Amino acid sequence: MKEFKLENTPKIKTGFKTPEHYFDDFSAKVLQQIEKKEIKIIPIYKRKEVVAMFAAAVVVITLMIPIINTYNKSKELDEATLETYLSYQSNLNQYDLIRELDTKDIEEINQNVVLEQETLEDVLSSNPNIENLISE
């Protein structure tokens, strides 16, 4: 294969030429064109698109307020739901529950609960595991 030398090969002319004395007054011509252009400034509140977007945003926010309020309501747990949840948690025992009690909860537990004799007899007769109830 022949050795190729970049310096010895004939050069191709580009075909692009600048006119004579083009760069002598180039900066003056550019500055004249820039000064001729006057920029029209439109305040943002007078633009039709911005006003339309602002109106659309207000309508969307107004329509979203009732939906947000329904999702943010805190729902209190009723006792049955809480008891069902705790009963299905197999890794939770009575000692874990006792550890989480605070003084207010303990005071509520200490209140006297009035049980009628008939109610107590019904519970004991319907539950076959009387020994477990007594040990607890």
Side-chain angles (χ1 to χ4, degrees), residues 72-86:
N72 285 342
K73 288 183 182 176
S74 63
K75 297 180 181 176
E76 293 292 327
L77 289 176
D78 59 320
E79 291 178 17
T81 307
L82 185 58
E83 186 176 342
T84 306
Y85 173 75
L86 292 176

Side-chain angles (χ1 to χ4, degrees), residues 43-72:
I44 195 161
Y45 60 87
K46 289 188 177 182
R47 298 183 74 182
K48 294 178 184 177
E49 301 90 20
V50 174
V51 174
M53 284 190 278
F54 179 73
V58 168
V59 169
V60 167
I61 291 172
T62 305
L63 293 175
M64 291 295 289
I65 288 174
I67 295 170
I68 292 171
N69 283 339
T70 57
Y71 285 121
N72 285 342

Side-chain angles (χ1 to χ4, degrees), residues 112-120:
N112 292 334
V113 178
V114 178
L115 290 177
E116 294 181 10
Q117 189 70 21
E118 295 173 0
T119 310
L120 189 57

Side-chain angles (χ1 to χ4, degrees), residues 8-101:
N8 295 339
T9 59
K11 305 280 191 240
I12 300 173
K13 295 186 179 181
T14 61
F16 296 107
K17 293 182 182 179
T18 56
E20 301 257 340
H21 307 291
Y22 180 77
F23 291 107
D24 293 342
D25 57 348
F26 179 73
S27 60
K29 287 180 184 178
V30 170
L31 288 175
Q32 284 178 356
Q33 289 178 355
I34 291 175
E35 290 175 2
K36 288 180 184 176
K37 293 182 180 179
E38 184 176 321
I39 300 172
K40 186 176 179 182
I41 300 173
I42 300 173
I44 195 161
Y45 60 87
K46 289 188 177 182
R47 298 183 74 182
K48 294 178 184 177
E49 301 90 20
V50 174
V51 174
M53 284 190 278
F54 179 73
V58 168
V59 169
V60 167
I61 291 172
T62 305
L63 293 175
M64 291 295 289
I65 288 174
I67 295 170
I68 292 171
N69 283 339
T70 57
Y71 285 121
N72 285 342
K73 288 183 182 176
S74 63
K75 297 180 181 176
E76 293 292 327
L77 289 176
D78 59 320
E79 291 178 17
T81 307
L82 185 58
E83 186 176 342
T84 306
Y85 173 75
L86 292 176
S87 66
Y88 285 117
Q89 296 298 318
S90 62
N91 59 352
L92 190 65
N93 59 21
Q94 62 188 4
Y95 300 109
D96 293 334
L97 293 174
I98 291 170
R99 194 176 326 122
E100 295 298 324
L101 292 176

